[in-house]
Amino acid sequence: MSKKKRLPKDYSEVTIKQLIELKAIDEDKTIDAEPAPHLTRALLRLSVFNDVPYEELESMPISELKDDIKKLGFLDTLPSDKKVEWFKCGGYWWKVNYDITKLSAGSYIDLDMYVKDPDKVLENTHKIMALFCTPFRWLRKTKLPDEVMWDKLKDVPVSVAYPLTVFFCTLFKNLIESLPDFLQKESENLMKEAKELQESAKLSFQKN
């Protein structure tokens, strides 16, 4: 039998990578056709965290699984919206830049691309964060390739990523509001998209 890992006690022990897996489980409509879809999803959730195959969990007595399923109940609530200035992840300290005026034109274009589809916001969270977070090692700013940053930021705890992502989406909305009058028509279209994005960012986390 596979050895079970300790389950997370809250969102500080759940990574973006794991949350994406949980979202896929929640949105998998084929599970609804199972005899007990709620239990199936609960077991799949457990398998995300303890590396025990679903088939092995399925063969275990429900009495042994009940407490573990209950421990993951916090996933049905929203994380705290408390923002941080610094966080540690992937062997680096990261400083969060909340000043959107320092965002380059190229980064703005990237941000627009990452949030274009509200349903993809969660999947792009690590890329969104990379636009606003600077890695440091030994108190020195460090330059990392985008792909390396993205890979490391997938392991950011949800307790850090959630408030930052919602904040960045709000910044995007405010930036669009400040567009000059001659872009008013386009601004209105983008405003609608930004509002949908802001709500989607919250719902993406709430679903899990």
Side-chain angles (χ1 to χ4, degrees), residues 121-192:
V121 172
L122 179 58
E123 294 176 26
N124 289 327
T125 294
H126 57 298
K127 294 182 179 181
I128 295 171
M129 292 187 68
L131 296 175
F132 295 90
C133 300
T134 304
F136 281 75
R137 177 169 276 182
W138 306 115
L139 302 179
R140 293 183 178 181
K141 186 184 297 186
T142 304
K143 179 67 175 176
L144 296 175
D146 287 346
E147 292 77 9
V148 175
M149 291 181 67
W150 296 341
D151 187 60
K152 290 184 178 298
L153 289 172
K154 284 181 181 178
D155 290 324
V156 170
V158 173
S159 58
V160 171
Y162 172 74
L164 297 188
T165 302
V166 172
F167 181 77
F168 297 151
C169 289
T170 303
L171 284 183
F172 181 63
K173 171 177 173 288
N174 291 339
L175 183 61
I176 292 170
E177 288 177 333
S178 67
L179 290 175
D181 291 340
F182 65 86
L183 288 178
Q184 185 61 41
K185 185 175 181 180
E186 181 179 354
S187 176
E188 289 173 357
N189 292 333
L190 289 174
M191 175 69 73
K192 181 179 179 182

Side-chain angles (χ1 to χ4, degrees), residues 77-89:
T77 64
L78 279 174
S80 167
D81 59 359
K82 184 179 180 180
K83 301 191 299 294
V84 299
E85 299 292 333
W86 290 83
F87 62 91
K88 191 174 183 180
C89 179

Side-chain angles (χ1 to χ4, degrees), residues 4-10 45-46 49 64-76:
K4 294 197 299 182
K5 293 182 179 180
R6 186 178 68 85
L7 294 173
K9 66 179 185 298
D10 55 37
R45 278 183 170 188
L46 287 176
F49 295 107
E64 294 183 22
L65 298 170
K66 189 166 71 170
D67 286 344
D68 284 349
I69 292 173
K70 187 176 180 180
K71 287 177 183 177
L72 297 183
F74 71 88
L75 294 171
D76 295 318

Side-chain angles (χ1 to χ4, degrees), residues 12-44:
S12 68
E13 299 180 349
V14 179
T15 68
I16 287 299
K17 188 186 302 182
Q18 291 170 328
L19 195 66
I20 290 173
E21 290 184 61
L22 294 169
K23 182 172 183 272
I25 292 170
D26 183 68
E27 295 180 348
D28 186 350
K29 301 305 181 184
T30 64
I31 296 176
D32 295 331
E34 299 284 336
H38 181 73
L39 180 58
T40 297
R41 282 194 169 88
L43 296 182
L44 287 170

